[in-house]
Amino acid sequence: MENYYSLLQLLRKAVDNSYQLELPKDTDWKGVLELASCQGVSGICLEAIEQLPLGTIPQQTLLQWIGLSEMLRQQFEHTWRVACKLDELWAAEGIQATVLKGRSIAKYYPVPSHRYSCDLDVFIGGEWERACELLEGQGIRLEREVYKEVEFTLDNVYVECHRYITPVRGNKHLKAFELYLRSLLNFEHKHYFEGTNLICPPLMFTVMLCIEHALGDLLHGHLTLKHIVDWVALRRQYFNRDFLALRCKEFKFDKFLPLIDALADVVEGKKAYQDLQPSYKEVFDGIFKAPVAKTPRTWFGKRVELFFSILRNGKKYQQFGYTSMPSFLFNSVWAHFFDKEVKL
């Protein structure tokens, strides 16, 4: 438990430089590094570590931490080079892509390259088929196992090119949410990442997608500290909280919003863990129960892993989701066999 405490102390210092660290003298720094890496927050923790007195962390562990953070920085830059390479291919044909999550969230971090991201997600609407043809024309092998996206690897970066932003099939709530997200992208004045034709989505788009994505990962047993730190970074931006609450109620995320706010309060030190209500404590404890397993890349492996994770997390559907677990499973199976064509 001390490793969890030390990690939270580092995160609090990283997101708020005025925070006064209270680290145990016998901190297991190797264990803290392993935990931070497992939770996807080792990079942001470095911002706190850099302010510790020399000798606080054993030299070997400190060098490992710095080396890991440098690898993350290089990966961040390499992933962006791949994004720009795709942008050049598509922009030549008048196709624009929107960057989902990844750099669109990282821009709100104190040091964007410290936000860990394992892949690249982009969304292309009506010209998605043409975008895929251009990829195949470059000899890129596309995996078309998932209806909402194609997946491929380019220069050792795993890419998901989305036809739909969210898993909408068989889900009336996410269909309505998908249309809402698309409406946010249809403003006349779009914002682009500097020097590219890649669309940087508006803040409310990223805020709402972050909530939906974190809720989905909670229900599938994949919620991590990185989700919570993402929310810490996003909710510090200026937006109308009343408007957010209304939108969350509209799309039935209103049971999840208080949870992720409470967990963010704990990470920031605004609320004590002991003050969380029991169901919130259970979620927080669950984040640290076991190392985060890598999701299988094959279609069958993903489906099997998803099915059992849904069964394991059935109670959370009732507590925080927009439907019950049996209803979710029934609609998913029905849509897979009898409602394959998505109509928005």
Side-chain angles (χ1 to χ4, degrees), residues 106-169:
K107 64 175 288 187
Y108 299 109
Y109 271 61
V111 181
S113 62
H114 283 170
R115 183 191 182 271
Y116 168 72
S117 183
C118 60
D119 57 13
L120 171 66
D121 287 77
V122 295
F123 165 68
I124 296 174
E127 298 173 302
W128 181 80
E129 291 286 1
R130 176 58 180 153
C132 293
E133 290 174 2
L134 291 171
L135 293 171
E136 291 177 320
Q138 296 294 310
I140 298 173
R141 181 178 174 274
L142 305 183
E143 296 181 15
R144 296 177 177 268
E145 297 171 336
V146 182
Y147 71 94
K148 71 183 179 72
E149 66 207 26
V150 292
E151 304 167 4
F152 59 94
T153 299
L154 179 61
D155 296 344
N156 294 317
V157 173
Y158 181 76
V159 183
E160 293 181 358
C161 179
H162 288 249
R163 184 180 197 171
Y164 304 102
I165 303 168
T166 62
V168 297
R169 193 167 67 182

Side-chain angles (χ1 to χ4, degrees), residues 42-277:
S42 59
I44 184 124
C45 284
L46 186 65
E47 295 163 42
I49 287 172
E50 290 174 337
Q51 301 181 57
L52 296 177
L54 288 176
T56 302
I57 303 178
Q59 185 177 30
Q60 183 178 359
T61 303
L62 178 60
L63 291 175
Q64 287 178 338
W65 207 314
I66 293 173
L68 177 59
S69 298
E70 175 60 19
M71 285 177 57
L72 293 177
R73 185 192 66 79
Q74 293 179 9
Q75 181 180 354
F76 181 84
E77 293 179 352
H78 179 61
T79 299
W80 191 242
R81 286 194 293 270
V82 170
C84 293
K85 188 173 181 178
L86 290 171
D87 176 48
E88 290 179 6
L89 173 67
W90 289 328
E93 297 291 326
I95 298 173
Q96 291 184 327
T98 300
V99 179
L100 305 178
K101 300 174 292 183
R103 205 175 187 96
S104 294
I105 295 178
K107 64 175 288 187
Y108 299 109
Y109 271 61
V111 181
S113 62
H114 283 170
R115 183 191 182 271
Y116 168 72
S117 183
C118 60
D119 57 13
L120 171 66
D121 287 77
V122 295
F123 165 68
I124 296 174
E127 298 173 302
W128 181 80
E129 291 286 1
R130 176 58 180 153
C132 293
E133 290 174 2
L134 291 171
L135 293 171
E136 291 177 320
Q138 296 294 310
I140 298 173
R141 181 178 174 274
L142 305 183
E143 296 181 15
R144 296 177 177 268
E145 297 171 336
V146 182
Y147 71 94
K148 71 183 179 72
E149 66 207 26
V150 292
E151 304 167 4
F152 59 94
T153 299
L154 179 61
D155 296 344
N156 294 317
V157 173
Y158 181 76
V159 183
E160 293 181 358
C161 179
H162 288 249
R163 184 180 197 171
Y164 304 102
I165 303 168
T166 62
V168 297
R169 193 167 67 182
N171 193 317
K172 64 180 182 179
H173 301 297
L174 290 187
K175 281 184 179 180
F177 183 59
E178 176 89 11
L179 290 172
Y180 170 69
L181 289 179
R182 293 183 182 216
S183 74
L184 293 178
L185 297 177
N186 287 333
F187 285 120
E188 182 178 351
H189 300 292
K190 292 183 173 66
H191 295 280
Y192 300 90
F193 286 98
E194 185 177 359
T196 75
N197 293 288
L198 294 167
I199 297 173
C200 178
L203 174 60
M204 188 52 64
F205 177 100
T206 300
V207 164
M208 292 300 297
L209 183 58
C210 176
I211 290 173
E212 184 276 327
H213 180 70
L215 172 57
D217 277 357
L218 169 67
L219 299 179
H220 298 155
H222 301 308
L223 191 72
T224 66
L225 272 181
K226 188 181 81 167
H227 294 93
I228 311 305
V229 176
D230 278 351
W231 186 239
V232 169
L234 286 173
R235 73 175 187 174
R236 289 187 167 199
Q237 310 308 310
Y238 177 76
F239 58 85
N240 189 318
R241 286 287 308 203
D242 291 335
F243 179 82
L244 172 66
L246 287 173
R247 295 288 77 78
C248 285
K249 186 174 182 179
E250 177 183 356
F251 301 115
K252 297 189 180 297
F253 302 150
D254 50 319
K255 290 191 289 187
F256 178 70
L257 181 59
L259 167 66
I260 196 169
D261 265 334
L263 299 185
D265 285 343
V266 171
V267 167
E268 288 192 87
K270 295 178 179 178
K271 175 178 293 205
Y273 165 83
Q274 292 79 7
D275 294 334
L276 292 175
Q277 60 188 65

Side-chain angles (χ1 to χ4, degrees), residues 324-339:
S324 66
M325 182 266 286
S327 177
F328 179 85
L329 281 177
F330 175 81
N331 289 336
S332 298
V333 172
W334 174 267
H336 178 75
F337 289 105
F338 305 108
D339 191 21

